[in-house]
Amino acid sequence: MLNFIDTVAEAVAGIKDGSTVMIGGFGNAGQPFELIDALMDCGAKDLTVVNNNAGQGDQGLALLIKEGRVRKMICSFPRQSDSWHFDAKFHAGEIELELVPQGNLAERIRAAGAGIGGFFTPTGYGTTLAEGKETRIIDGRGQVFETPIHADVALIKALKADGKGNLVYRKTARNFGPIMAAAAKHTIVQVSEIVPTGSLDPENVVTPGIYVNSVVRVDSAASETLSSNGKVA
Amino acid sequence: MGTQTSIQTSEKPLGRDELAQLVARDIAPGSFVNLGIGQPTLVSNYLTEEQNITLHTENGMLGMGPAAVGDEVDGDLINAGKIPVTELPGASYFHHADSFAIMRGGHLDICVLGAFQVSATGDLANWHTGAPDAIPAVGGAMDLATGAKDVFVMMTLLTREGVSKLVEQCTYPLTGVGCVTRVYTDKAVFLTGPEGVTVRETFGCTFEEIQELVPLPLKKA
């Protein structure tokens, strides 16, 4: 069921305590800042958050972590020069970390959306991140068994949605968007523009609307400059 | 490289830029390449148009151009180091699972990475010092180490304390097993593989002097 929603607050209102929430973005590119802020305001707590990083500076995911709303992070790269809120919680033992190599993170998310029960990958074989995991030698190569990462909710950002919820992204802001949209039970997308159904070339649709549940338009400075055509429906 | 009588190809150890230039020169024309964060990024400064190299960045792009300046800066167009970059004609974008499939699937010809240590059999340690209080962060390091057909490492041969980073066995936590094929250092280029470590060329020192520094048996190219 696809809904077009007026505000980010309404879009995230159904997120319950204890949910697993995937959040798109790599660096600031593709980060749904407004949806994350709304998640902050809605009060949901005890969250497991799946993101490539663990928050930067004093915004978005970093604030959710600071306020103690995140029980567990599943990510590939939590330590950054400005990840001080995560660092503090981690050293205080107040947040759990599941560290996953970036490609395994992406493939585990993809597997969830694709209904795959798990897969063997050479990435991580022979390292501490494979400890306790099943391994096999396949075609002469050591491989590690990895399982899918499912989520209750995905918060992602795209450039445009049409009336069917079909999405197109912009440049490297695409990153985790398409696979998180497929992996979550309920996918909430913030877009810079909602265009009339039929105005996106079907050949160029990146995320088919079947994966999308809620669309909310957000005026985003980064995306504003590039919306070169099309009117808001 | 070098002459018949000596593998010493430079009077002095190489600086960071000279080393980057050497790596760039060794990349075969038409290659698909991923340059890791830090020193390997310098390699892009020395790739020529004639080489026709396509750069991959793991956050989801092939055909990455130079760093963006001034009006070119676009928050939606960044590299794996989160630095604004540009796109070249013929560039393509894809999602993260596709991007790492490109890597893991063996489609990239060369990946250039930094390292804390490389072992005699090409094991790589470059993601974690193992310090108990350090927050572990791996990013794409293990995927990069595992996927490309050739993994080149760029590093200084010695630590600040003068200890060789080319070692019999890595003491830091591993990033990948038996994955490194070449090691470019300020003092020498090493080829690593199942048959052991071969010194391809040296800079500002002799083969014998390199053998003195490195605690494992070396072969001469």
Side-chain angles (χ1 to χ4, degrees):
Chain A
M1 178 72 182
L2 174 66
N3 287 300
F4 289 83
I5 295 172
D6 291 333
T7 66
V8 286
E10 291 168 84
V12 303
I15 299 179
K16 298 185 180 69
D17 292 354
S19 297
T20 296
V21 181
M22 289 180 172
I23 301 179
F26 177 88
N28 288 341
Q31 260 211 66
F33 282 113
E34 288 79 2
L35 284 174
I36 303 170
D37 288 347
L39 177 60
M40 181 76 189
D41 293 339
C42 87
K45 59 181 191 298
D46 201 23
L47 302 172
T48 294
V49 172
V50 184
N51 181 258
N52 189 59
N53 304 101
Q56 294 164 266
D58 287 297
Q59 58 179 349
L61 176 54
L63 288 184
L64 270 180
I65 291 169
K66 179 190 175 197
E67 295 303 321
R69 307 267 290 281
V70 181
R71 183 182 67 77
K72 178 181 178 182
M73 273 305 313
I74 301 176
C75 68
S76 84
F77 208 81
R79 185 191 65 233
Q80 301 191 94
S81 59
D82 56 354
S83 59
W84 44 74
H85 292 308
F86 176 83
D87 299 4
K89 290 284 178 196
F90 184 79
H91 286 306
E94 292 171 2
I95 195 164
E96 192 184 332
L97 170 65
E98 181 178 346
L99 186 73
V100 186
Q102 204 170 331
N104 288 0
L105 181 68
E107 193 62 17
R108 290 177 64 189
I109 295 168
R110 197 197 71 81
I116 305 286
F119 56 91
F120 282 93
T121 171
T123 303
Y125 181 82
T127 75
T128 53
L129 296 190
E131 279 171 10
K133 293 182 177 173
E134 184 184 346
T135 58
R136 274 193 207 173
I137 307 293
I138 300 173
D139 292 335
R141 272 194 112 177
Q143 312 232 6
V144 186
F145 186 67
E146 295 285 355
T147 53
I149 301 173
H150 295 275
D152 298 299
V153 180
L155 306 180
I156 64 170
K157 179 179 169 183
L159 178 63
K160 295 179 191 180
D162 69 6
K164 295 284 189 185
N166 294 312
L167 305 178
V168 293
Y169 300 82
R170 189 167 177 275
K171 301 184 187 286
T172 59
R174 181 183 306 190
N175 55 66
F176 286 94
I179 53 175
M180 286 183 169
K185 285 184 208 137
H186 187 89
T187 294
I188 304 169
V189 189
Q190 69 170 68
V191 295
S192 304
E193 203 179 339
I194 297 170
V195 298
T197 300
S199 64
L200 293 180
D201 181 347
E203 294 283 5
N204 294 339
V205 169
V206 176
T207 294
I210 190 169
Y211 297 125
V212 175
N213 301 99
S214 300
V215 177
V216 56
R217 193 178 73 83
V218 171
D219 284 316
S220 170
S223 306
E224 278 289 274
T225 49
L226 43 107
S227 306
S228 50
N229 54 23
K231 294 193 185 92
V232 174
Chain B
M1 304 285 140
T3 65
Q4 291 288 357
T5 52
S6 168
I7 54 168
Q8 184 170 334
T9 54
S10 159
E11 291 301 313
K12 290 187 306 188
L14 299 189
R16 285 162 62 90
D17 283 283
E18 290 167 308
L19 196 60
Q21 207 167 353
L22 179 65
V23 174
R25 206 186 60 200
D26 281 356
I27 295 175
S31 295
F32 290 88
V33 177
N34 185 299
L35 301 174
I37 296 168
Q39 199 181 354
T41 306
L42 291 177
V43 173
S44 65
N45 297 341
Y46 299 101
L47 295 171
T48 65
E49 217 167 292
E50 295 69 45
Q51 278 177 292
N52 189 26
I53 304 299
T54 304
L55 292 180
H56 172 256
T57 181
E58 59 264 34
N59 51 317
M61 179 187 195
L62 277 164
M64 178 175 66
V69 288
D71 290 348
E72 293 171 343
V73 172
D74 177 339
D76 285 341
L77 180 46
I78 59 174
N79 66 12
K82 305 187 173 88
I83 307 293
V85 291
T86 51
E87 68 185 26
L88 296 177
S92 54
Y93 296 107
F94 28 82
H95 63 63
H96 243 70
D98 277 350
S99 188
F100 282 85
I102 285 173
M103 212 179 273
R104 193 189 309 106
H107 305 282
L108 291 179
D109 296 297
I110 296 170
C111 172
V112 187
L113 296 170
F116 299 145
Q117 286 175 328
V118 177
S119 84
T121 53
D123 292 354
L124 172 69
N126 76 348
W127 75 282
H128 193 20
T129 60
D133 60 335
I135 295 173
V138 65
M142 290 183 181
D143 306 276
L144 285 162
T146 308
K149 289 175 194 149
D150 270 304
V151 174
F152 293 177
V153 159
M154 286 175 82
M155 65 181 193
T156 56
L157 179 58
L158 305 178
T159 65
R160 275 184 210 142
E161 294 74 34
V163 179
S164 174
K165 297 186 198 173
L166 186 59
V167 293
E168 188 70 50
Q169 263 194 325
C170 294
T171 51
Y172 287 128
L174 291 188
T175 309
V177 177
C179 54
V180 177
T181 50
R182 275 188 215 178
V183 184
Y184 289 83
T185 76
D186 51 336
K187 294 186 188 342
V189 176
F190 303 89
L191 311 178
T192 51
E195 298 89 42
V197 181
T198 303
V199 180
R200 188 185 81 176
E201 56 186 316
T202 65
F203 314 116
C205 49
T206 63
F207 172 83
E208 288 70 26
E209 285 166 330
I210 293 292
Q211 182 63 84
E212 286 287 300
L213 295 170
V214 176
L216 54 99
L218 299 173
K219 285 188 275 192
K220 217 169 184 171

